Amino acid sequence: MSATRMHNPPHPGEVLKEWLPEGMTVTQAAQALRVDRVTLSKLLNGRAGVSASMALRLARWLGTSPDLWLGLQTQYDLWRASKRRQPAIEPLRKGEPLAA
C-alpha cells in the first residue's frame, strides 16, 4: 500500500458536512447546488459518491477545486476496495508473451 494513501479515509459526504454552514438544511444546500434533496442526502450519508458533475458544483459553491472532491472520492474508493478480497494477479513481465 502506498504511503500517501490514507488509513480509513472519510467518505466525501462526511467532509462536506464539515463545510456546510451551521444551521443550513439539506434542502437549502441542495437548492444552492441545483440538485435534488435526495441526491445530496445520499452523498452526505455515504450512500452515494461524488460524481464529476457534483465535484464541479461543490468546487464552484465552496471555492475549492473539483480535484479535491474527486480525490477524496478516489481515496475512499481505493481504501474500500483494498479491504475486499482481491484475485491473485501475476505481474506482467516485460518481454513475456501474453496468454491467449
Side-chain angles (χ1 to χ4, degrees):
M1 180 164 17
S2 169
T4 60
R5 196 170 304 148
M6 292 177 66
H7 173 71
N8 193 13
H11 185 276
E14 291 178 51
V15 176
L16 179 55
K17 284 179 187 178
E18 299 294 319
W19 281 71
L20 296 179
E22 191 172 328
M24 178 174 266
T25 67
V26 174
T27 301
Q28 291 168 327
Q31 288 171 344
L33 290 166
R34 305 280 194 251
V35 296
D36 183 79
R37 182 194 181 288
V38 173
T39 299
L40 185 57
S41 180
K42 285 181 180 179
L43 173 60
L44 290 169
N45 292 305
R47 295 190 313 268
V50 173
S51 65
S53 175
M54 181 61 82
L56 289 167
R57 291 168 190 257
L58 291 170
R60 179 158 189 141
W61 189 47
L62 299 170
T64 62
S65 76
D67 294 332
L68 168 76
W69 299 101
L70 291 176
L72 288 169
Q73 187 64 53
T74 299
Q75 286 181 351
Y76 180 78
D77 290 344
L78 284 171
W79 180 79
R80 293 230 12 219
S82 74
K83 298 301 169 195
R84 292 190 294 265
R85 184 179 172 101
Q86 300 293 315
I89 298 174
E90 292 295 321
L92 179 64
R93 291 184 177 82
K94 190 173 181 176
E96 283 188 10
L98 298 178

